[in-house]
Amino acid sequence: MSRIAILGTGAMGSRVAQNLLNAKHQVAVYNRSADKIKPLLDQGAVYAATPREAAQQADHGALNVGCSREEVIKIIMQMAVYAGFPATLNGVFAAKEVFAERDEGLV
């Protein structure tokens, strides 16, 4: 079972999250309007208060299934086109924290 984060639960994000939950994945969801994620939480999704919190869960999941640190960073950098530079920086900083936790043996 993978831990996956969904940022934005509009028409597409909510359907993606729903399909992942149906496939028995652990799904962390973040949306600017928290009321829109309630149906997903009722079905077992985990609430992420910030995009950074969601990204941390996804980073751990990617590393747990064999992605290298370099691959995680490449994925985050590719998101700049869609999410913008500030969000990408937040993703890189979250990944850096996750890498440090793993190096310290906290995970």
Side-chain angles (χ1 to χ4, degrees):
M1 176 176 8
S2 299
R3 293 188 301 177
I4 301 165
I6 300 294
L7 306 177
T9 56
M12 185 171 69
S14 62
R15 289 183 179 102
V16 169
Q18 180 62 58
N19 287 333
L20 291 167
L21 288 167
N22 289 343
K24 306 296 183 209
H25 293 283
Q26 293 177 352
V27 180
V29 291
Y30 167 79
N31 197 66
R32 286 181 295 173
S33 305
D35 59 314
K36 293 190 176 190
I37 62 173
K38 182 155 179 16
L40 295 169
L41 297 177
D42 292 342
Q43 296 172 31
V46 176
Y47 174 72
T50 64
R52 181 180 211 144
E53 186 178 314
Q56 286 174 319
Q57 293 188 40
D59 287 341
H60 279 292
L63 293 168
N64 288 341
V65 297
C67 287
S68 70
R69 292 175 184 212
E70 292 77 20
E71 290 170 323
V72 169
I73 294 297
K74 282 182 185 177
I75 292 165
I76 293 170
M77 296 306 290
Q78 289 176 359
M79 120 181 146
V81 175
Y82 305 101
F85 190 69
T88 302
L89 279 178
N90 285 339
V92 169
F93 291 136
K96 184 178 176 181
E97 290 175 12
V98 168
F99 299 157
E101 288 175 7
R102 293 178 83 86
D103 289 343
E104 294 171 8
L106 299 176
V107 177

